[in-house]
Amino acid sequence: MSREKIELKSLKILNAVLECKSVTAAAEMLSVSPSSITYAINKLRDITTNPILTRSKSGVVPTTLAIDLNSRYVKAMSLINEGLDITDTNTDSGHIKEIVISTYTFFEFWLSMSLLRNGSLKKEGVSLTFIPHPFTDEERTNNLRNRKVDIDIGTELPKDNSITVYKLLSSNTQAMVSQSHPTIKNQLTVDDWHSNEHVRWTRADYGMTSMVGDAVTLNDVRNYRNILVNTSSSLNMMLLCANSDNIMIIPRMFSSFLKTILPVNFFDIPFEVDIHSDYYLHFHNQSLNDININRVFSEINKLVGK
């Protein structure tokens, strides 16, 4: 490594490139020329005698050294700002930090609606970009490992040394029906269950849901339903149910929120079974050093009562 010292300005530029995932976008954010960005990155490379960025089809990719340098910069700035009692919302500079979240359509709506209502997105100077889950766990893991996705919420992924995972929420389930349903008003009976149509979520990773009970009853619940619509969109399923005479199963955790936005009623499932849903939050280990991502973690944890 060169005897020349690394300047704070160069680390600030590196941080912008990593956040924007583009030299051009970082230049626009900092109001400097792209050549100034390139010069700063090259200077870091010369001082450390190691590459800082590599290129891929999706843009620039930080090396392990770049991630380590950025982590130290973020920690240092956080300590400085805390010591001076400075709240960094990024809103005065017009810089909005984009957080990429991969999850189900209903989670997209629930998270964004809740955060818009409490004003935390504007307050914290972040924006949320949602993308759908890919079809396989391997693709989900790769998106986290390559930092294409900041937060993944869904079924638990296989263990990976670069990814942190924790159970976000666990909930038993209820049945949801429209308030205008012609026959289901005050309770849901077994006859109602069998005589009405149902809508069902058909995600390939539906393994988040577990059912406990005797075999005959479980078979009755799962297989003796008149499924009118199968959909891979959880949000579409809820809207269909709210605007039709269909029944659907929904985690109890979301009942209060759905009551505020949809004309629906909730009932206990009329069987001696425990239908349980678990949801997990995943993120790259390096995200623990990102102040903005940690702010989103905090808001999500508040939503689920953690």
Side-chain angles (χ1 to χ4, degrees):
M1 183 178 289
S2 169
R3 290 177 177 270
E4 188 176 357
K5 294 182 179 180
I6 295 176
E7 296 179 354
L8 191 62
K9 179 181 178 180
S10 296
L11 293 179
K12 179 180 179 181
I13 288 174
L14 175 63
N15 174 259
V17 173
L18 266 59
E19 287 194 357
C20 296
K21 301 179 176 67
S22 162
V23 169
T24 302
E28 292 178 358
M29 185 186 82
L30 297 174
S31 299
V32 299
S33 67
S35 60
S36 297
I37 300 290
T38 302
Y39 174 79
I41 297 300
N42 287 339
K43 190 172 182 180
L44 282 174
R45 182 193 62 195
D46 293 341
I47 293 173
T48 61
T49 66
N50 281 287
I52 302 298
L53 301 173
T54 60
R55 293 192 176 276
S56 69
K57 292 181 180 179
S58 58
V60 293
V61 178
T63 62
T64 302
L65 174 61
I67 293 172
D68 182 56
L69 287 172
N70 187 58
S71 171
R72 294 169 184 268
Y73 168 78
V74 170
K75 286 181 179 179
M77 295 307 298
S78 177
L79 289 171
I80 291 171
N81 287 331
E82 287 177 7
L84 296 175
D85 195 24
I86 296 174
T87 301
D88 177 20
T89 62
N90 292 320
T91 52
D92 292 338
S93 65
H95 170 224
I96 301 296
K97 165 68 177 180
E98 179 191 44
I99 307 295
V100 179
I101 302 176
S102 179
T103 188
Y104 311 113
T105 52
F106 171 66
F107 260 85
E108 291 185 26
F109 182 70
W110 180 54
L111 290 176
S112 52
M113 188 71 179
S114 299
L115 295 179
L116 284 171
R117 279 178 172 177
N118 66 24
S120 61
L121 291 178
K122 182 177 180 180
K123 175 185 174 183
E124 302 296 355
V126 301
S127 68
L128 304 182
T129 295
F130 289 100
I131 64 173
H133 272 163
F135 286 106
T136 67
D137 286 352
E138 183 179 4
E139 291 175 286
R140 286 173 60 195
T141 299
N142 285 336
N143 283 344
L144 286 164
R145 190 185 294 136
N146 298 326
R147 309 298 295 276
K148 293 180 179 179
V149 167
D150 296 306
I151 300 171
D152 178 292
I153 300 173
T155 53
E156 186 176 14
L157 291 171
K159 181 176 175 57
D160 186 285
N161 291 333
S162 65
I163 296 170
T164 298
V165 56
Y166 68 87
K167 184 181 288 187
L168 181 63
L169 66 93
S170 182
S171 175
N172 61 2
T173 54
Q174 291 181 295
M176 186 174 88
V177 300
S178 171
Q179 288 181 357
S180 60
H181 195 286
T183 60
I184 304 175
K185 297 298 183 182
N186 299 315
Q187 65 176 338
L188 177 68
T189 66
V190 172
D191 286 341
D192 291 328
W193 185 269
H194 291 309
S195 62
N196 285 273
E197 286 82 17
H198 295 244
V199 291
R200 181 174 63 181
W201 188 21
T202 55
R203 285 292 302 181
D205 56 0
Y206 198 59
M208 73 176 70
T209 300
S210 60
M211 295 187 179
V212 178
D214 68 85
V216 174
T217 304
L218 290 176
N219 187 59
D220 206 23
V221 174
R222 287 182 295 195
N223 300 327
Y224 287 92
R225 285 190 292 169
N226 184 4
I227 306 295
L228 197 63
V229 175
N230 290 287
T231 175
S232 62
S233 168
S234 53
L235 183 57
N236 181 44
M237 179 179 68
M238 295 171 189
L239 292 174
L240 282 172
C241 182
N243 292 280
S244 70
D245 297 335
N246 289 274
I247 301 172
M248 63 166 284
I249 296 174
I250 183 75
R252 189 183 296 268
M253 176 77 187
F254 305 129
S255 302
S256 297
F257 172 72
L258 289 172
K259 269 281 196 180
T260 67
I261 60 170
L262 294 174
V264 291
N265 289 322
F266 296 90
F267 302 97
D268 291 334
I269 295 171
F271 298 93
E272 292 295 325
V273 295
D274 179 20
I275 304 176
H276 219 79
S277 297
D278 296 325
Y279 300 84
Y280 293 83
L281 187 147
H282 309 79
F283 56 91
H284 194 284
N285 296 338
Q286 290 293 336
S287 294
L288 288 171
N289 300 319
D290 189 306
I291 296 172
N292 294 290
I293 294 178
N294 274 280
R295 286 169 176 163
V296 175
F297 288 157
S298 177
E299 293 299 326
I300 293 174
N301 285 331
K302 288 178 186 177
L303 287 179
V304 301
K306 284 187 176 291

